[in-house]
Amino acid sequence: MKPTDEGDAPEPRTDGGMFAGSDATQVTRKQRAREWFGEAVATPARIAWEDWRMKVGLSIIALFVAVGLVAWVSSSNWWLLDGVTLVEEPISNQGPTRLAPFENWDYPLGTDVQGRDLLAGIVHATPRMIQMIMAGAVFSSIVATAVGTVAGYKGGAVERTLMTLSDIAMTIPGLPLVIVLMVLIEPQNPWFIGIIITINVWAGLARTIHSQVLSLRENSYVEASRTMGMGTASIIQKDILPNLMPYVTVNFVYAARRVIYDSVALYFLGVLTYQGIENWGVMMYIAYDIGGALFNPNNVYMLLVPMIPIVLLSLGLILFSQGTDRLFNPRVRTRQAGETVSEEVDDSTTVVTQ
Amino acid sequence: MSTQKPRHTEDGALYRTSDPIIEVRDAEVVFGMDRGVSRVLDGVDLDVQRNEILGIVGESGSGKSMLASAMLDAVVDPGRLSGRITYHPADRDPVDVLGLSKAELKRLRWEDISMVFQGAMSSFNPTMEVRGNFVETLEAHDYDVEAGLERTREILRDLYLEPERVLDSYPHELSGGMQQRALIALSLVLEPDVLVMDEPTAALDLLMQRSILQLLEKLKQKYDLTLVFITHDLPLVAELADRLAVMYAFELVEIGPTEEILRDAAHPYTRSLLNATPNIDSGLEEMRPIEGSAPDPVDVPTGCSYHPRCPMADETCVEDDPEFLRADDGHNVACFHWQDAEEAVPFVLDGQEADR
Amino acid sequence: MNWFIRRTGHALFTIWAVATLSFGLIRLMPGGAAQIMTNRATRNNPNVDREVIARMVREQIQIDPNAPLHVAYYQYMSGLAQGDLGHSHWAGESVNSVIAGALPWTVFLMAISTVAMFAIALSLGAIMAYREGSGFDLGMTGIAIFFNSIPYYVAAVVFIVFLGHGTSLFPPRGRYPSSVDPGFTVDFIGGAFHHAVLPSASFIVTGYGLLALAMRGNSIQVLGEDYVRVARLRGLPDRRIALRYVGRNAILPMYTSLLISIGFMFGGSIILEELFAYPGIGFYMFRAIEFRDMPLMMGTFLVITVGVVLAIFIGDATYGKLDPRIKSGDESEAY
């Protein structure tokens, strides 16, 4: 096919300053940063926002961040916020027990076997979920990017070792390993739990990044930077990282979903112990283990209600990730931006495939 | 179906040849797009003479691939082709290509008119041995497979390939030049009369390009073919073609015998093109890129579509679209001022150009 | 062949690494398994000599908590090499026999889920690609995304409550009907499939979506390839183009997803088999966690991992047969 189709994705002026030399570098740095922001952040954000999946996905994610803030404000003991309680914390016997949803509007989603407000449970479990997601997603992205770029760029024994490690990490099934680690370590801290859950999630992304770096390394502008004597770190940062954004984004969402799925599962199964309603999985555990919801039709709602935020947040993340398609698929992007497509029309079948 | 274009001379004889095998009349290809209608082939009239080698030259994005696809009614999907394409077989009545049924069209393609795309690398099924691609083609057209494979081996040998080795290979196991030649063999397996080739050598190195051209000449003689050779590489096709047709902005701007075009190109665009194309003998500094850029198919300039880039353009050119004018016998040009072109756009190395 | 040897070495190396990892987890972690067991034994039998307790622990998990590191490692690895995974105090029998009874069921469940899920996802994705932009395509895309947002255990809960207990169309628990004796009978085999419906459906419904979308994307890309256009011009029948050109070339890149989902499902079996009270390997791993039965926990963990390594190895080996471009020994492995 023509070179235009080969996925030379958004390429935020990675060659900027390549010929700038020493004297011009300082002057252009600020300018370049602004230019970089325009091309790497502002324009893509606008294009992405045109996609309905992105709109819905981001709205859902924003909703959860807002709920997390509400919970944080409500439970904060900081002097300004101490008296502010938007949503009560879920505690035993705060309401009648086993109240079904939509019956009493003081407890719109009902209460559990011990009279805890289910809505309050959903709200107050959100901050810890967000912390776990952030920890897991950031951790796996950083490790993967570091391993992938260093391996791809350094080559030799370093590359072989790191890639073998990735292979092994990728082969080990995640959940059993995570469960074993949880049983042995018994962590409480949400950041730590998030990291343990994503303990081997980085491997897949590291491999992808590694192969991307290998092909990018061949590219002329990296060659040029190298000949000019730029350091490894600076080359990775300027030339390579921007091209890896699509993969990092997709992995970010994948890791986030893993954290949601696995953390809920771990609490649901009672692998992780809890002090209060600190996870939607805890609510499911109470319904399943104490309420016998699987067999008792009257208590099924206790199991279903905490599933709503799980599915909703996961849906938001998937839509967000699907919405970035348009961003990272240059062909779609060109069409959206309304540039000329005469080349494609003349030379191949590409226009057809939108 | 088609009305004669008022834009062109009423006298159809201008672009008529003595024994055409394919007649293209008022061919137009339109894509509906978000920002308007994209006309990527705009009223082209052209005859392909039986047993000639016709070179069609243009920049990328000039509509030349569309013209090639149009000859087989093979324009890709949202594109709509209108006009009249007539195929004149040697032993049958003329065929109205655009009026064929699905089954008739299937027979016309590959059995009568065959095509070689640019990028042989991507024209074979990557997960099938080369042999399979030949066999399935023969089967799809109810040809005798054994006889067909025997013919294939002969064609492959004509192309200096080892038949068995090529047939037993997967596409990725062959070099680019080998794949290209195997693809030419595939296009000839059903013994067509016409072979339309769209940039068949674009991905190959110079040496391989030349050797494929020689092979094409040989094949043309042996199998009695008519060749339509589409390229952006004017010097390359000039070595091979009997006649040259030059496209600009989805229209034909000049057509004539190769010798004549090289010596006395009458359209300023053709002349610039000859100046811009690299000559092995000329240095880098002698090349003159054409100023400006190729027009957008949605928004083609009024009048002569070349006027924004043309050094000779005046008000007439902005307002009126030039008709084809006769520059010499069989040499037509769509330019009001063709007689002044030689002076306005002199050849960089006149002497060398002439004896090429 | 060279490729095959490299792959085999790779698989063996991975298994060795995982075994070493589990040794490390048991022995080295602060409060690791060996420590936990020793403490518990000491607590339960305060009068017994430390040496005796150490021997007891060692008998159970193949690791002598008092032996030097390298000796303990040697003992553990040689125990594993002989296929001895230790003794489960919860089951009251060797870990080996627990696993031998459970593993076939898990493999059965995984095989059904994988085959059905890929059959559905691949055909659906291809149809969506052919009807790109149609109402069918859009609707199916929406449904696929929504179903994919549901964790498999959430689907399992819904199935158990509404299809299992609600309508009793499908049995919500167990591996086969309790009234039937295991054997090569229609009742038994049919019953086993019947019991596998809901667990498999939990995986399939929540997992097919992204696969179908990936297949759709691949197919659309292949449909735009030159070789498909050339095939059409050559007059090949649509059926042949759909199967031999679009299908085959779009499916090949899905292989990575297949390998990943095998690992994912094996891991997920812990939760699913617990919910469905389906005594497979995951079910026993869960029991082991519940009762802090370290030998059983590490044994099931090892077996699950080795199972995934083997599945990937087999997958890799067959991929080389499917894609001729691999045969020539280039570096592109399946994942």
Side-chain angles (χ1 to χ4, degrees), chain B residues 208-238:
Chain B
M208 186 53 76
Q209 288 187 355
R210 310 242 152 194
S211 87
I212 284 195
L213 289 193
Q214 284 166 8
L215 290 171
L216 283 175
E217 197 122 36
K218 188 176 133 188
L219 285 177
K220 185 211 158 215
Q221 298 300 336
K222 180 166 172 185
Y223 296 97
D224 215 15
L225 289 167
T226 305
L227 293 181
V228 179
F229 194 104
I230 290 153
T231 182
H232 65 277
D233 191 344
L234 206 161
L236 182 83
V237 73

XYZ file of all heavy atoms in Angstrom, chain B residues 208-238:
257
model
N 15.715 -3.371 -11.968
C 14.583 -4.275 -12.106
C 13.502 -3.660 -12.983
O 12.900 -4.332 -13.812
C 14.049 -4.612 -10.709
C 12.957 -5.652 -10.685
S 13.369 -7.171 -11.522
C 14.448 -7.941 -10.329
N 13.295 -2.332 -12.838
C 12.314 -1.652 -13.682
C 12.645 -1.846 -15.151
O 11.794 -2.223 -15.949
C 12.300 -0.149 -13.376
C 11.687 0.200 -12.040
C 11.541 1.701 -11.855
O 11.980 2.484 -12.702
N 10.912 2.087 -10.763
N 13.895 -1.607 -15.479
C 14.303 -1.721 -16.891
C 14.096 -3.146 -17.392
O 13.598 -3.364 -18.480
C 15.774 -1.352 -17.068
C 16.100 -0.051 -16.417
C 16.557 0.968 -17.409
N 16.193 2.262 -16.850
C 16.177 3.393 -17.504
N 16.488 3.395 -18.769
N 15.839 4.515 -16.930
N 14.497 -4.104 -16.589
C 14.414 -5.475 -17.104
C 12.960 -5.887 -17.259
O 12.602 -6.595 -18.192
C 15.193 -6.435 -16.203
O 14.378 -6.888 -15.167
N 12.081 -5.389 -16.399
C 10.662 -5.727 -16.557
C 10.095 -5.075 -17.811
O 9.305 -5.677 -18.541
C 9.877 -5.334 -15.284
C 10.187 -6.365 -14.201
C 8.382 -5.269 -15.568
C 9.272 -6.373 -13.033
N 10.544 -3.863 -18.099
C 10.077 -3.219 -19.327
C 10.451 -4.038 -20.558
O 9.643 -4.243 -21.465
C 10.672 -1.814 -19.454
C 10.141 -0.765 -18.484
C 10.565 0.617 -18.939
C 8.627 -0.846 -18.388
N 11.684 -4.515 -20.559
C 12.108 -5.333 -21.710
C 11.257 -6.584 -21.835
O 10.843 -6.978 -22.915
C 13.571 -5.721 -21.559
C 14.511 -4.581 -21.880
C 15.919 -4.840 -21.410
O 16.226 -5.948 -20.976
N 16.762 -3.825 -21.493
N 10.979 -7.200 -20.669
C 10.166 -8.412 -20.687
C 8.760 -8.118 -21.198
O 8.175 -8.909 -21.947
C 10.088 -9.010 -19.276
C 11.388 -9.613 -18.769
C 11.257 -9.976 -17.299
C 11.736 -10.841 -19.589
N 8.231 -6.963 -20.817
C 6.882 -6.613 -21.260
C 6.838 -6.504 -22.782
O 5.904 -6.968 -23.428
C 6.450 -5.285 -20.633
C 6.016 -5.357 -19.173
C 5.729 -3.961 -18.644
C 4.784 -6.238 -19.034
N 7.871 -5.879 -23.326
C 7.942 -5.722 -24.778
C 7.906 -7.101 -25.457
O 7.197 -7.329 -26.426
C 9.242 -4.983 -25.128
C 9.247 -4.414 -26.499
C 9.477 -2.896 -26.468
O 10.258 -2.452 -25.607
O 8.864 -2.200 -27.279
N 8.664 -7.995 -24.859
C 8.760 -9.349 -25.404
C 7.405 -10.068 -25.306
O 6.931 -10.678 -26.275
C 9.822 -10.092 -24.590
C 10.202 -11.455 -25.112
C 11.332 -12.032 -24.259
C 11.024 -13.462 -23.899
N 11.968 -14.025 -22.933
N 6.780 -9.965 -24.125
C 5.485 -10.605 -23.923
C 4.458 -10.062 -24.905
O 3.628 -10.792 -25.438
C 4.983 -10.340 -22.502
C 5.646 -11.116 -21.380
C 5.069 -10.668 -20.053
C 5.432 -12.606 -21.576
N 4.516 -8.748 -25.113
C 3.550 -8.113 -25.998
C 3.637 -8.723 -27.395
O 2.614 -9.038 -28.001
C 3.851 -6.614 -26.063
C 2.833 -5.857 -26.857
C 3.435 -4.642 -27.539
C 2.562 -4.268 -28.706
N 3.289 -3.746 -29.828
N 4.867 -8.902 -27.874
C 5.047 -9.517 -29.192
C 4.515 -10.939 -29.203
O 3.715 -11.319 -30.034
C 6.542 -9.544 -29.564
C 7.182 -8.178 -29.668
C 6.520 -7.324 -30.720
O 5.902 -7.826 -31.659
N 6.614 -6.002 -30.551
N 4.935 -11.716 -28.194
C 4.653 -13.137 -28.217
C 3.169 -13.421 -28.040
O 2.623 -14.308 -28.691
C 5.458 -13.824 -27.110
C 5.239 -15.324 -27.054
C 6.277 -16.017 -26.208
C 5.894 -17.478 -26.021
N 6.788 -18.180 -25.129
N 2.530 -12.693 -27.146
C 1.130 -13.004 -26.849
C 0.168 -12.023 -27.495
O -1.013 -11.983 -27.154
C 0.906 -13.059 -25.337
C 1.681 -14.177 -24.684
C 2.913 -13.949 -24.089
C 1.176 -15.478 -24.689
C 3.637 -14.981 -23.512
C 1.880 -16.512 -24.110
C 3.112 -16.257 -23.519
O 3.817 -17.280 -22.959
N 0.679 -11.170 -28.388
C -0.210 -10.334 -29.165
C -1.051 -9.422 -28.273
O -2.277 -9.368 -28.382
C -1.146 -11.259 -29.971
C -1.445 -10.635 -31.316
O -0.713 -9.692 -31.683
O -2.396 -11.083 -31.975
N -0.387 -8.721 -27.362
C -1.098 -7.951 -26.358
C -1.213 -6.480 -26.719
O -0.417 -5.956 -27.502
C -0.348 -8.023 -25.017
C -0.375 -9.332 -24.270
C 0.657 -9.306 -23.153
C -1.754 -9.586 -23.705
N -2.211 -5.850 -26.136
C -2.264 -4.395 -26.101
C -1.935 -3.999 -24.670
O -2.520 -4.530 -23.731
C -3.674 -3.902 -26.452
O -4.044 -4.455 -27.707
C -3.710 -2.393 -26.501
N -0.995 -3.065 -24.501
C -0.585 -2.690 -23.153
C -0.985 -1.253 -22.838
O -0.771 -0.352 -23.653
C 0.932 -2.811 -22.991
C 1.549 -4.197 -23.036
C 3.055 -4.099 -22.826
C 0.935 -5.096 -21.978
N -1.577 -1.056 -21.683
C -1.800 0.296 -21.164
C -0.951 0.404 -19.912
O -1.131 -0.352 -18.966
C -3.288 0.537 -20.841
C -3.480 1.944 -20.287
C -4.146 0.316 -22.067
N -0.014 1.336 -19.941
C 0.988 1.414 -18.891
C 0.824 2.751 -18.178
O 1.031 3.807 -18.767
C 2.373 1.297 -19.534
C 3.485 1.038 -18.572
C 4.045 -0.230 -18.475
C 3.991 2.059 -17.781
C 5.094 -0.471 -17.597
C 5.024 1.806 -16.900
C 5.580 0.544 -16.804
N 0.429 2.679 -16.900
C 0.142 3.914 -16.168
C 1.252 4.193 -15.178
O 1.654 3.309 -14.427
C -1.211 3.775 -15.452
C -2.300 3.789 -16.515
C -1.421 4.876 -14.446
C -3.511 3.076 -16.114
N 1.753 5.414 -15.189
C 2.890 5.704 -14.325
C 3.030 7.197 -14.082
O 2.452 8.013 -14.791
C 4.194 5.161 -14.944
O 5.260 5.433 -14.056
C 4.469 5.823 -16.275
N 3.777 7.542 -13.077
C 4.135 8.942 -12.872
C 5.520 9.206 -13.457
O 5.999 10.317 -13.461
C 4.141 9.265 -11.376
C 5.213 8.518 -10.639
N 5.038 7.221 -10.208
C 6.465 8.865 -10.299
C 6.151 6.819 -9.622
N 7.035 7.785 -9.665
N 6.132 8.146 -13.954
C 7.535 8.206 -14.352
C 7.631 8.352 -15.862
O 7.690 7.375 -16.601
C 8.223 6.913 -13.879
C 9.727 6.998 -14.006
O 10.211 7.894 -14.719
O 10.399 6.155 -13.398
N 7.639 9.592 -16.309
C 7.583 9.842 -17.745
C 8.762 9.250 -18.518
O 8.567 8.567 -19.524
C 7.462 11.351 -17.983
C 6.794 11.787 -19.286
C 6.322 13.207 -19.192
C 7.690 11.599 -20.483
N 10.004 9.459 -18.086
C 11.129 8.905 -18.857
C 11.047 7.391 -18.987
O 11.398 6.825 -20.011
C 12.356 9.303 -18.027
C 11.902 10.346 -17.111
C 10.450 10.210 -16.914
N 10.558 6.737 -17.912
C 10.484 5.281 -17.923
C 9.541 4.813 -19.022
O 9.891 3.991 -19.868
C 10.007 4.790 -16.564
C 9.929 3.273 -16.438
C 11.290 2.718 -16.104
C 8.916 2.880 -15.375
N 8.332 5.362 -19.021
C 7.337 4.876 -19.960
C 7.684 5.330 -21.383
O 7.332 4.669 -22.352
C 5.915 5.316 -19.538
C 5.704 6.793 -19.788
C 4.865 4.487 -20.241
N 8.410 6.419 -21.482
C 8.766 6.905 -22.808
C 9.625 5.897 -23.563
O 9.608 5.832 -24.782
C 9.496 8.245 -22.689
